Amino acid sequence: RTPVGQVGKRKITTIESLEKDGRLHPLQEAFLKEDAMQCGYCTSGMIMSGYALLQKSPDPSEAEIIRSLRGNICRCGVYQRILAAIKDGAKALQNK
C-alpha cells in the first residue's frame, strides 16, 4: 500500500490507462483469452502486478511470476490461468 501523499507528482499507471485507442493491452487480452478472471475481485491487482513485472522482466520465469503476485489473493483459485495469462501476455508483448 502506498499512501497517495507519498506519490506526489509521479506518474501513476492504472488498469484503465493500459487500454490505448480503444484497444486492450496485450496482457488484458491474455487474461480474457485464458479465462483468468472469474469473479473479478483480484483481476485488476493481478493484471497490474503482471504489468509491473513485464516492465522489469519481459520474459519472466514461472517463479518470477509467482513472486510478483504475492499479496494478491484469488478467491476463485484460478491461479494456473493467471500464470498462463501472464506468460501469454509476455509472449504477445515480445512479438509486437
Side-chain angles (χ1 to χ4, degrees), residues 24-38 43 47 65 74 77-92:
L24 294 176
H25 185 276
L27 187 55
Q28 292 170 307
E29 290 285 351
F31 266 71
L32 287 171
K33 176 184 161 223
E34 292 294 335
D35 198 22
M37 51 191 130
Q38 206 146 342
T43 306
I47 291 174
I65 296 170
C74 175
V78 296
Y79 291 106
Q80 292 305 314
R81 292 187 228 161
I82 292 167
L83 290 173
I86 294 173
K87 289 176 188 177
D88 285 355
K91 287 178 192 167

Side-chain angles (χ1 to χ4, degrees), residues 13-15 17-18 27 43-53:
T13 303
T14 64
I15 188 81
S17 70
L18 295 182
L27 187 55
T43 306
S44 293
M46 293 292 188
I47 291 174
M48 294 310 294
S49 292
Y51 176 81
L53 171 65

Side-chain angles (χ1 to χ4, degrees), residues 2-14:
T2 304
V4 73
Q6 288 182 355
V7 176
K9 295 183 180 187
R10 291 186 229 166
K11 181 181 177 195
I12 299 173
T13 303
T14 64

